[in-house]
Amino acid sequence: MRTFLLLCIAPLLLAADSDWQSEGVVSVTHSPHAKLHTVPIHAVKMGDGFWSARRAINVEKSIPTLLAELEQHGVVDNFLRLEGKKDTPRRGPLYTDSDIYKWMEAVAFVLQSGEQPKLRAEFDRLTGIILAAQEPSGYLNTYWSEERTPKRFTEMYRSHELYCMGHLLQAAIAYFRATGDRKLLDGGIRFANYMVENFGPQKRPALTGHPEFEMALVELYRTTGDRRYLDFAGYLLSGVERERLHLTDDQLVYLFSGKPFTARTEFEGHAVRAMYASCGATDYYMETGDPAYLKTLETLWRDLVNRKMYITGGVGSREAGEAFGEAYELPNAQAYGESCAAIGNMMWNWRMLLALGESRFADVMERALYNGINSGMSLSGTLYCYRNPLESAGEKIRNEWYDTTCCPPNLERILASLPGYIYSTSPQGVYVNLFHTSTLDWQLENGTGIRIGQQTEYPWKGAVDFTVDPARAAEFSLFVRIPGWSDGTRVTVDAPAPFAARQDLLKPGEYFEIHRRWEPGDKVHVAFEMKPRLVRANPLVREDAGRVALERGPLVYCLEQPDQPGFNLFDASLLDDGTGFVSEFQPDLLGGVLVLKHRGTVVDRPFSSEPLYRPFQEQAARPGRVEALTFIPYYAWANREPSRMEVWVPYVTVGTE
C-alpha cells in the first residue's frame, strides 16, 4: 500500500521540485495529441499597448474591489460560519463558493506575472479559511452542509457541488504554478480523491449538472500524473448516468451533460455549460486521442461558428435558461450573450488551437476576446456586464454586483492570464497567436533559448515588428497568424538572407511559416490590412436583414447615442454613396479609441411618429438629411450614461427611400 501511495504522489513531488513554473494556462507539454504547447505566463512580459491599461486596472482596482464585494455579501462568511467563527445564516445562491475560487484563480495568474505581496497574502488568508471548513472526508461546500448535508449529491443536475470544486482545483493549480505552494492543491486533491473513491461505475452515480469539473480533473491529472482523474473526467463526459439518477426531461432541458458528449451533433441548452463541457472534452481528447471526441468537437465547432455565434464572439441568444437558440436565432436587443459564455468560447477555442494547431481557432479566440469578453468589464474596472446585447434602447447594463457573480471574476482571470495566450510552441518552432507589444523569453522545444520581441500598436495599426533572438544561430520556424479578416498582408524579413513573402502564400485564416536559420537580431515586419469592412449576416438571421455591421481589424464597431448629437440613432441609416470611412484616433475618448465616421441619412420625421401598420401600397414620404455617423468599438459602449446603441445598422444606397 505504501508503494502504491508513493507512485501516486511521485509525479507531483517531481513537479514541486522542478517543473511547477514551466507550465502554461493549461499544461499540454506531455499531452500526446496536442499539436501546440503552451508557454508559462511568466515567460511573456507585456509592454505598453491595447491591453496594458486593462490589465493594470484589473490588478489595481478590479480584483481588490471585487474581493470587498464578495466579503460584503457574505461569500467568505459562508466558510467562516462552518468553522464556528461567524454566527450568520448562509448567504447567496448555492454556487457562491465558486466565485471566491475564480477570484483566487485570477490572483494566481497575476502572481505568475510577478510578485504582488498584498494579493498573495489575501490568497493565503482565504486558503486558510477555506481549508478550515473542509471535512475530514475531503468534502467541501458551504451550501450543502449542516441542515442540507443529507441532500448531498441527490440533486446533481442543479447542485453545482462539482462545479464549485472544479473552480477550486483550477485556482489551486494556478497558484501552485505561481508559487510552488500546494496547500490549497492538497485540499482539492482530497476532494477529488473522495469523488473517485466513492463515485463511478459500480459505485454511486455522478453527474456534473454544470460542467467544469471535467477540465479541472484533466488539469489535475496533468499536474499529478494520477490517471484516476483523467478516467473520472471521461466517465463524467460519457453521460451514462441519466437512468441511474432518474433524471427527467425537465431536469435535463438546460444541461449539456445529460447524454454522452460524443452523441452531440449541435449546441443546445445552457451556453456556458456547453462551452465548459467542450473545454473538458477537448482536454480529454488531447490526452486520449479518442477519434469520437475529435469528430464531435469538429461538428460542434462548425455548428457554433456557422449558425450560432454572434459577430462579437458572444454565444447564447436566449435569456430563458441562458441558452442557445435554434440555428440563426441571433436577436440583437434580446441577445443574452453572457460574459462567461464568451469567455467559455475563448477557452474552448484555445484548447482546439492547442489540439489541432489551426489558425481558425485563434481567429475565434481573438474575436471573442476583443469584443464579447472585453465589453464585459467597464473601462473603470469596477462595473460589469452579465449580458452583452448588440442593441440597446438605453437600459442600464453595467453593475458593481450581481447575486450570480460568475462573470466579474471570470473576466478578471482572463485579463490576468492573457500573456499565456500570445505565443505557443511546437517541435517545429514558435507560433504567434495574438499581437501585442511583448517579449517572449523562453526556449524552443529542443532546449535552445529563444527571445522574441514584438512591437505593435495593434489593433489601431496593422504593423507588427518582431526581433528574433535565439541563444545561438538555429534553424526553426516562426509561425505568424494571418487573421481571416486581413487581405493584402505583407511579411518581410530583414536578415543576412532577407526576403519578402509572396502574396499568394499569405493566406488569411492561416499561419504563415517562416522557416530559416535564424541569427540573433533577425527582424520580421508584418503589415495587416486594417481597412474598415462592412459585413452582412446570413439571410436566415432574419433580424439583420437590410442591415450591416462594421469591423476594423479584430474590432466590431457600433453606434452609440452620445456620438450622434441631434438625432435618434434608430432613425439613421448608413448611406452607400461611394465615399469611404474616415478614421480618427481620439485619445481622450473612452480611454483612447479609433473612431470611424461615415455619411448616413436621418429621417426628418421620426419613425416613432408613424402608425404601427399601414397598407403596403401607401407610400410614406421620408425626406431625410445627411448626417455624419460616428462609430466606436463595441467593447467601449455603456461607459458613459445609459444610452441607445446598435451594432447592426440599416443600410441604404443613394436614391433609396
Side-chain angles (χ1 to χ4, degrees), residues 201-351:
Q202 287 79 55
K203 303 175 186 176
R204 293 181 63 185
L207 170 83
T208 51
H210 193 312
E212 212 291 333
F213 196 45
E214 298 88 341
M215 57 175 147
L217 281 172
V218 177
E219 204 62 31
L220 186 60
Y221 160 70
R222 291 165 173 164
T223 304
T224 66
D226 191 332
R227 177 80 189 197
R228 296 179 302 162
Y229 307 137
L230 177 64
D231 291 341
F232 199 78
Y235 158 72
L236 293 171
L237 288 163
S238 71
V240 298
E241 298 292 14
R242 172 174 177 165
E243 292 186 4
R244 277 217 291 165
L245 290 168
H246 307 293
L247 298 177
T248 67
D249 289 339
D250 288 342
Q251 291 169 340
L252 289 166
V253 66
Y254 295 123
L255 304 186
F256 203 76
S257 54
K259 67 180 182 180
F261 185 86
T262 54
R264 295 281 176 185
T265 58
E266 65 175 332
F267 278 120
E268 57 187 347
H270 192 280
V272 178
R273 299 180 191 204
M275 292 295 99
Y276 284 9
S278 299
C279 288
T282 310
D283 282 329
Y284 185 74
Y285 164 75
M286 284 191 279
E287 302 306 322
T288 65
D290 188 327
Y293 276 85
L294 180 58
K295 180 181 178 181
T296 301
L297 290 165
E298 285 278 22
T299 298
L300 292 175
W301 191 85
R302 289 191 294 271
D303 179 53
L304 182 71
V305 300
N306 293 330
R307 308 196 305 167
K308 295 176 181 173
M309 184 176 73
Y310 281 102
I311 193 171
T312 58
V315 295
S317 56
R318 294 180 179 176
E319 181 177 7
E322 301 179 332
F324 286 98
E326 299 296 330
Y328 308 106
E329 183 187 333
L330 295 167
N332 294 318
Q334 289 76 38
Y336 204 67
E338 184 184 344
S339 294
C340 283
I343 291 169
N345 191 15
M346 179 181 170
M347 289 167 53
W348 179 39
N349 275 276
W350 172 235
R351 287 162 168 79

Side-chain angles (χ1 to χ4, degrees), residues 352-656:
M352 291 293 283
L353 174 64
L354 297 174
L356 299 178
E358 296 179 15
S359 181
R360 56 188 167 125
F361 305 116
D363 278 357
V364 177
M365 282 174 54
E366 182 180 69
R367 179 176 295 279
L369 175 63
Y370 276 88
N371 302 290
I373 295 172
N374 199 19
S375 61
M377 180 188 288
S378 68
L379 299 177
S380 69
T382 58
L383 302 173
Y384 304 90
C385 291
Y386 192 92
R387 55 184 294 264
N388 296 269
L390 280 73
E391 182 178 308
S392 173
E395 69 272 22
K396 183 181 179 184
I397 196 71
R398 299 188 187 278
N399 295 285
E400 293 179 349
W401 176 259
Y402 296 87
D403 287 338
T404 298
T405 325
C406 53
C407 296
N410 223 354
L411 291 159
E412 291 168 5
R413 67 174 179 157
I414 284 293
L415 288 171
S417 61
L418 198 53
Y421 296 95
I422 298 177
Y423 304 94
S424 52
T425 65
S426 77
Q428 289 71 44
V430 178
Y431 282 69
V432 182
N433 308 314
L434 299 172
F435 305 102
H436 195 278
T437 296
S438 57
T439 301
L440 169 68
D441 193 353
W442 192 230
Q443 60 196 28
L444 301 174
E445 294 195 3
N446 63 9
T448 302
I450 182 70
R451 185 181 178 92
I452 296 178
Q454 182 182 162
Q455 191 71 35
T456 183
E457 295 180 57
Y458 191 93
W460 309 125
K461 296 182 180 179
V464 187
D465 291 296
F466 297 95
T467 301
V468 182
D469 278 311
R472 58 181 182 276
E475 184 176 345
F476 61 92
S477 293
L478 181 69
F479 296 86
V480 179
R481 181 175 66 90
I482 310 299
W485 47 259
S486 179
D487 293 322
T489 301
R490 299 186 304 279
V491 175
T492 58
V493 176
D494 181 12
F499 82 94
R502 286 167 36 196
Q503 283 297 307
D504 62 319
L505 299 178
L506 296 169
K507 298 178 180 178
E510 294 186 5
Y511 282 94
F512 178 67
E513 180 181 4
I514 309 172
H515 182 82
R516 60 187 291 116
R517 181 175 177 82
W518 297 89
E519 302 281 349
D522 284 354
K523 298 185 183 300
V524 177
H525 177 73
V526 180
F528 298 122
E529 179 56 75
M530 300 291 279
K531 291 190 302 186
R533 310 179 304 280
L534 291 178
V535 180
R536 69 178 66 202
N538 185 298
L540 293 174
V541 184
R542 309 301 292 174
E543 189 163 326
D544 295 337
R547 295 173 179 261
V548 293
L550 177 62
E551 297 179 317
R552 183 183 182 275
L555 296 175
V556 174
Y557 276 70
C558 69
L559 293 176
E560 193 177 22
Q561 190 63 64
D563 307 303
Q564 329 302 326
F567 61 91
N568 183 337
L569 68 82
F570 293 149
D571 289 332
S573 299
L574 187 68
L575 179 62
D576 177 13
D577 59 359
T579 63
F581 284 87
V582 175
S583 61
E584 177 185 339
F585 190 80
Q586 298 188 4
D588 298 325
L589 178 66
L590 298 168
V593 295
L594 188 143
V595 302
L596 298 173
K597 297 184 178 182
H598 198 282
R599 284 154 57 94
T601 62
V602 179
V603 295
D604 286 346
R605 186 178 69 187
F607 289 127
S608 60
S609 69
E610 294 187 8
L612 184 59
Y613 306 106
R614 67 175 190 275
F616 175 75
Q617 293 81 7
E618 179 183 315
Q619 296 297 317
R622 294 193 187 96
R625 65 186 188 274
V626 175
E627 294 276 2
L629 302 181
T630 300
F631 293 79
I632 64 168
Y634 169 78
Y635 75 81
W637 85 280
N639 278 280
R640 295 170 282 190
E641 69 275 9
S643 56
R644 302 181 186 94
M645 179 276 296
E646 68 179 357
V647 170
W648 290 95
V649 181
Y651 177 81
V652 297
T653 57
V654 173
T656 300

Side-chain angles (χ1 to χ4, degrees), residues 67-95:
L67 178 59
E69 292 282 353
L70 292 167
E71 299 249 30
Q72 178 183 339
H73 289 86
V75 177
V76 177
D77 287 350
N78 289 340
F79 292 89
L80 291 171
R81 66 187 291 273
L82 295 182
E83 305 168 37
K85 294 182 178 179
K86 286 282 185 175
D87 185 17
T88 58
R90 191 194 181 280
R91 296 172 64 186
L94 54 81
Y95 36 72

